[in-house]
Amino acid sequence: MILEAVMLQVKKGMEEDYEEAFSRASKIISSMKGYISHELQCCMEVKGKYLLLVQWKTLEDHIVGFRQSNEYQEWKKQLHHFYDPFPTVEHFERVKL
């Protein structure tokens, strides 16, 4: 399992619209092969700042299966206009302790 982590900054005054759009767009990502779960957290200190965490079975499920799909084009259409600046996506794997 891998964890996709994305810090998102939503344009000022668009937070409520973003959360509604994200709720609708969640159906897209949750239908993808290799998807396990996702959650969106809002920052308590900085208005408009969100943390998106998505669990995928493999890195390829995200960067190939989702990011190169027609569904991703719809995801972009619904959400990307809310972001400023455009976010950096990072992937993490659990450290075995």
Side-chain angles (χ1 to χ4, degrees), residues 5-95:
V6 190
M7 197 66 66
L8 305 164
Q9 185 62 51
V10 170
K11 294 173 185 173
K12 186 176 181 176
M14 299 184 78
E15 297 86 1
E16 188 175 319
D17 290 341
Y18 173 70
E19 291 178 16
E20 290 172 9
F22 189 90
S23 180
R24 290 189 302 273
S26 290
K27 295 177 182 110
I28 297 170
I29 198 168
S30 63
S31 71
M32 299 304 298
K33 177 184 176 291
Y35 164 88
I36 298 172
S37 69
H38 73 282
E39 60 185 81
L40 183 67
Q41 306 272 337
C42 63
C43 182
M44 296 172 68
E45 291 81 18
V46 180
K47 186 167 179 61
K49 187 174 188 179
Y50 295 83
L51 174 62
L52 172 61
L53 300 171
V54 186
Q55 291 185 335
W56 297 95
K57 289 182 182 175
T58 68
L59 182 60
E60 291 74 24
D61 286 332
H62 178 233
I63 61 173
V64 177
F66 181 52
R67 297 288 293 272
Q68 294 181 16
S69 70
N70 291 333
E71 290 87 350
Y72 181 69
Q73 298 308 312
E74 183 60 29
W75 172 270
K76 282 175 40 174
K77 181 179 171 184
Q78 291 186 29
L79 298 176
H80 285 195
H81 65 280
F82 286 104
Y83 305 136
D84 186 27
F86 193 77
T88 299
V89 176
E90 298 177 304
H91 299 92
F92 297 84
E93 60 185 351
R94 187 179 305 257
V95 175

